[in-house]
Amino acid sequence: MDIKQYVTKQLARTKTKKYEAYVIHRIIAKIDDIGLKFVTQQYVNRGEKSKNGKKFALTDLYFPQLGIHVEVDEAHHFSADAKEADAMRTRDIVSQIGGDDPIRVDTANTSLKEINQRIDSVVETIKAAKKSLPNFIPWDIKKEYSVDTYIAMGEIDANKDVALRTSAEVCNCFGRNYKRWQKGGAKHLDENGHPDENTIIWFPKLYENDGWINHLSDDETRITEGSVDQQKQKQHFEDFLKTGIKATRRIVFAHVKSNLGGVMYRFRGVYEVSEEETKKSGRLVWLRTSTTTKTYAKKPENK
Amino acid sequence: MDIKQYVTKQLARTKTKKYEAYVIHRIIAKIDDIGLKFVTQQYVNRGEKSKNGKKFALTDLYFPQLGIHVEVDEAHHFSADAKEADAMRTRDIVSQIGGDDPIRVDTANTSLKEINQRIDSVVETIKAAKKSLPNFIPWDIKKEYSVDTYIAMGEIDANKDVALRTSAEVCNCFGRNYKRWQKGGAKHLDENGHPDENTIIWFPKLYENDGWINHLSDDETRITEGSVDQQKQKQHFEDFLKTGIKATRRIVFAHVKSNLGGVMYRFRGVYEVSEEETKKSGRLVWLRTSTTTKTYAKKPENK
């Protein structure tokens, strides 16, 4: 996908609310900045912060480099029904925990002139936010979500926009050079290319799937791993009690659906198994110990 | 309809071509001129001028005050089938006969950057065209299509954007003060409020309807009036031969469907019956003798 396809596809999705397309198109046209990435209809985890008590929101316009969300009028309302919530969990959800409230553009009791003025002010806010970033890196669709980019960064941060298209690419951020990788996890090499038996690179689906019930807590600090099959669940847990877990540390890249379709592996952080929590809940519990981890290229082979 | 509804409804219609919404929204945002009216998906009569040999086009964006049309890539293609052509004739068609070619924005073999640059150049062209008009009147949706506006102008011009919502309003541009008018024509009063027996204000449907086949020639200079019923047609013609026509002059406001739905009466000009052409064709033939006519308010009643 090139930037032309990306930008027009994102804008074509703005059809939900009456004045949404007008507002979103106009903001993008007026910002007029090909180096500023935007996403429409972005699922957001707002943690406990959300005023209306809802932890999850769907914002109309999101600028990942700035962490800014824009809402046309009120937030989309999610029905409380579990089915919809489950469907949402399969999607790529951005964390806004502890972040600013979304910028709102009211279109309901305003004239076109007032909407236009509000948009101008929102555009100024966004431009100022970009200017205030000391190390703003212009968006380059060809370089984002690329192994080379993440290796060059030296470290990835779950609070930034870190995702890859395949699990092989994820492995290649940690000293591998895989063409393909099919399993749900991969062995980890340390920076020096030595096997790190204590760590696994994990590609979980953090929602119910294929008999597994994995769950990421709303504050994203805790992953629970379980099975719908009570027997399996019990076995899993008893194995843990008996032998412990060999690799107690996991670098987590969650399997998500990207908002334009297609699978992505989004970095969630580094998690370690908690014996105490696991015993308490009867399921494997992983707690986040870091939101960052180092990246490195494959070591040249010894000759 | 207020300007907020109008503008957003027009923009919501731009969904036909892949990059159309992007281009049209961006042009409107960048022109950023609430006094410049625009219409999306406007039917246009280009007379004989059209390069591809098609007289009728559907342009993506039209600025009535400037007579400028914008096309995203190639023109929409009309199938040659008669059914579609008939449907089109019921619509509001703008005359671009002898006008400039549409401005084109190519999106097919261009990068996003190039499209953006092209849009900037189109926006400059449009702004310059507005500046070059000595008597540009800013668009005011509350005043357009209003009897008061047309009376204040003193004269209306079929080559400008002249239309009204009801036939009563049309009558009121010529010295009446009707609340309602149901007939297909109305008696004419001259500027002094005296009956003008020679002229009728006519509200024809210039397409096949209810047994009538009225036809406006592609160059808009000729209206043919006839019936699908051969007997009626013959009678109509023989009446003309026998007694002549009492009112030989017609001020024509054609019944059309506006592009956002709803009926409009669009001024087409003043037409006079042609005895020669009528005898030649066996149908009543009206030839345009003027594209303008005077407007005036109702004379105050004598006390």
Side-chain angles (χ1 to χ4, degrees), chain A residues 21-49:
Chain A
Y22 180 78
V23 173
I24 303 298
H25 271 282
R26 194 172 174 96
I27 289 174
I28 298 304
K30 289 227 155 189
I31 289 178
D32 201 5
D33 185 346
I34 221 161
L36 194 63
K37 184 181 182 182
F38 68 94
V39 182
T40 59
Q41 293 179 36
Q42 174 66 56
Y43 284 96
V44 185
N45 178 0
R46 312 208 68 237
E48 303 295 334
K49 193 159 189 283

Coordinates of all heavy atoms in Angstrom, one line a residue, chain A residues 21-49:
Chain A
A21 N -17.5 13.1 7.6 CA -16.6 13.2 6.4 C -16.2 14.6 6.1 O -15.0 14.9 5.9 CB -17.4 12.6 5.2
Y22 N -17.1 15.5 6.3 CA -16.8 17.0 6.1 C -15.7 17.4 7.0 O -14.7 18.0 6.6 CB -18.0 17.8 6.3 CG -17.7 19.3 6.1 CD1 -17.6 19.8 4.8 CD2 -17.5 20.1 7.1 CE1 -17.3 21.2 4.6 CE2 -17.2 21.5 7.0 CZ -17.1 22.0 5.7 OH -16.8 23.3 5.5
V23 N -15.8 17.1 8.3 CA -14.9 17.5 9.3 C -13.5 16.9 9.1 O -12.5 17.6 9.1 CB -15.4 17.3 10.7 CG1 -14.3 17.6 11.8 CG2 -16.7 18.1 11.0
I24 N -13.5 15.6 8.9 CA -12.2 14.8 8.8 C -11.5 15.2 7.5 O -10.3 15.5 7.6 CB -12.5 13.3 8.9 CG1 -13.3 12.9 10.1 CG2 -11.2 12.5 8.8 CD1 -12.6 13.2 11.4
H25 N -12.2 15.2 6.4 CA -11.5 15.6 5.2 C -10.9 17.0 5.3 O -9.8 17.3 4.8 CB -12.6 15.7 4.0 CG -12.7 14.4 3.3 ND1 -11.8 13.9 2.4 CD2 -13.7 13.4 3.4 CE1 -12.2 12.8 1.9 NE2 -13.3 12.4 2.5
R26 N -11.7 17.9 5.9 CA -11.2 19.3 6.0 C -10.0 19.5 6.9 O -9.1 20.2 6.6 CB -12.4 20.2 6.5 CG -12.1 21.7 6.3 CD -13.4 22.5 6.6 NE -13.1 23.9 6.6 CZ -13.4 24.7 5.6 NH1 -13.9 24.2 4.5 NH2 -13.1 26.0 5.6
I27 N -10.0 18.7 8.0 CA -8.8 18.8 8.9 C -7.6 18.3 8.2 O -6.6 18.9 8.2 CB -9.1 17.9 10.2 CG1 -10.1 18.6 11.1 CG2 -7.8 17.7 11.0 CD1 -10.5 17.7 12.3
I28 N -7.7 17.2 7.5 CA -6.6 16.6 6.7 C -6.1 17.6 5.6 O -4.9 17.8 5.5 CB -6.9 15.2 6.2 CG1 -7.3 14.2 7.3 CG2 -5.8 14.7 5.3 CD1 -6.2 14.1 8.3
A29 N -7.1 18.1 4.9 CA -6.7 19.1 3.8 C -6.0 20.3 4.4 O -5.0 20.8 3.8 CB -7.9 19.5 3.0
K30 N -6.5 20.8 5.5 CA -5.9 22.0 6.1 C -4.6 21.8 6.8 O -3.8 22.7 6.8 CB -6.9 22.6 7.0 CG -8.1 23.2 6.3 CD -8.5 24.6 6.8 CE -9.2 25.4 5.8 NZ -9.3 26.8 6.2
I31 N -4.4 20.6 7.4 CA -3.1 20.3 8.0 C -2.1 20.2 6.8 O -1.0 20.7 6.9 CB -3.1 19.0 8.8 CG1 -3.9 19.2 10.1 CG2 -1.7 18.5 9.1 CD1 -4.1 18.0 10.9
D32 N -2.5 19.5 5.8 CA -1.7 19.5 4.5 C -0.3 19.1 4.8 O 0.6 19.8 4.4 CB -1.8 20.9 3.9 CG -1.4 20.8 2.4 OD1 -1.3 19.7 1.9 OD2 -1.3 21.9 1.8
D33 N -0.1 18.0 5.5 CA 1.2 17.5 5.9 C 1.3 16.0 5.6 O 0.8 15.2 6.3 CB 1.4 17.8 7.4 CG 2.8 17.5 7.9 OD1 3.5 16.8 7.1 OD2 3.1 17.9 9.0
I34 N 2.0 15.7 4.6 CA 2.2 14.4 4.1 C 3.0 13.5 5.0 O 3.0 12.3 5.0 CB 2.7 14.4 2.6 CG1 2.0 13.4 1.7 CG2 4.2 14.4 2.6 CD1 2.2 13.7 0.3
G35 N 3.7 14.2 6.0 CA 4.5 13.5 7.0 C 3.8 13.2 8.3 O 4.4 12.7 9.2
L36 N 2.6 13.6 8.3 CA 1.8 13.4 9.6 C 0.8 12.2 9.3 O -0.1 12.4 8.6 CB 1.1 14.6 10.0 CG 0.5 14.7 11.4 CD1 1.6 14.6 12.4 CD2 -0.3 15.9 11.6
K37 N 1.0 11.1 10.0 CA 0.2 10.0 9.8 C -1.2 10.2 10.5 O -1.3 10.8 11.5 CB 0.8 8.7 10.3 CG 0.0 7.4 10.1 CD 0.6 6.2 10.6 CE -0.2 5.0 10.3 NZ 0.3 3.7 10.8
F38 N -2.2 9.6 9.9 CA -3.5 9.7 10.6 C -4.2 8.3 10.3 O -4.0 7.6 9.4 CB -4.4 10.8 10.1 CG -4.9 10.7 8.7 CD1 -6.1 10.2 8.4 CD2 -4.1 11.2 7.6 CE1 -6.6 10.0 7.1 CE2 -4.6 11.0 6.3 CZ -5.8 10.5 6.0
V39 N -5.1 8.0 11.3 CA -5.9 6.8 11.2 C -7.4 7.2 11.5 O -7.6 8.0 12.4 CB -5.5 5.8 12.3 CG1 -6.3 4.5 12.2 CG2 -4.0 5.5 12.1
T40 N -8.3 6.7 10.7 CA -9.7 7.0 11.0 C -10.3 5.8 11.8 O -9.9 4.7 11.6 CB -10.5 7.3 9.7 OG1 -10.4 6.1 8.9 CG2 -9.9 8.5 9.0
Q41 N -11.3 6.1 12.6 CA -12.0 5.0 13.3 C -11.0 4.1 14.0 O -10.9 2.9 13.7 CB -13.0 4.3 12.4 CG -14.1 5.2 11.9 CD -15.0 4.5 11.0 OE1 -15.3 3.3 11.1 NE2 -15.6 5.2 10.0
Q42 N -10.3 4.7 15.0 CA -9.3 3.9 15.7 C -9.9 3.5 17.1 O -10.4 4.3 17.8 CB -8.1 4.9 16.0 CG -7.1 4.2 16.9 CD -6.4 3.0 16.2 OE1 -5.8 3.1 15.1 NE2 -6.5 1.9 16.9
Y43 N -9.8 2.2 17.3 CA -10.2 1.7 18.7 C -9.1 2.2 19.7 O -7.9 2.1 19.4 CB -10.2 0.2 18.7 CG -11.5 -0.4 18.0 CD1 -11.4 -0.8 16.7 CD2 -12.7 -0.4 18.7 CE1 -12.6 -1.3 16.1 CE2 -13.8 -0.9 18.1 CZ -13.8 -1.3 16.8 OH -14.9 -1.8 16.2
V44 N -9.6 2.6 20.8 CA -8.7 3.2 21.8 C -9.1 2.6 23.2 O -10.2 2.5 23.5 CB -8.9 4.7 21.9 CG1 -7.9 5.3 22.9 CG2 -8.8 5.4 20.6
N45 N -8.0 2.2 23.9 CA -8.2 1.8 25.3 C -7.8 3.0 26.2 O -6.7 3.4 26.2 CB -7.3 0.6 25.6 CG -7.4 0.2 27.0 OD1 -8.1 0.8 27.8 ND2 -6.6 -0.8 27.4
R46 N -8.8 3.6 26.8 CA -8.6 4.8 27.6 C -8.4 4.4 29.1 O -8.4 5.3 30.0 CB -9.7 5.8 27.4 CG -10.1 6.0 25.9 CD -10.6 7.4 25.7 NE -9.6 8.4 25.9 CZ -9.7 9.4 26.8 NH1 -10.7 9.5 27.5 NH2 -8.7 10.2 27.0
G47 N -8.3 3.1 29.4 CA -8.2 2.8 30.8 C -9.3 3.2 31.6 O -10.5 3.1 31.2
E48 N -9.0 3.7 32.8 CA -10.1 4.1 33.7 C -10.5 5.6 33.5 O -11.4 6.1 34.1 CB -9.7 4.0 35.2 CG -9.2 2.6 35.6 CD -10.4 1.6 35.5 OE1 -11.5 2.0 35.6 OE2 -10.1 0.4 35.2
K49 N -9.8 6.2 32.5 CA -9.9 7.7 32.4 C -11.2 8.2 31.9 O -11.7 9.3 32.2 CB -8.8 8.2 31.6 CG -8.6 9.7 31.7 CD -7.2 10.1 31.3 CE -6.9 11.5 31.6 NZ -7.5 12.4 30.6

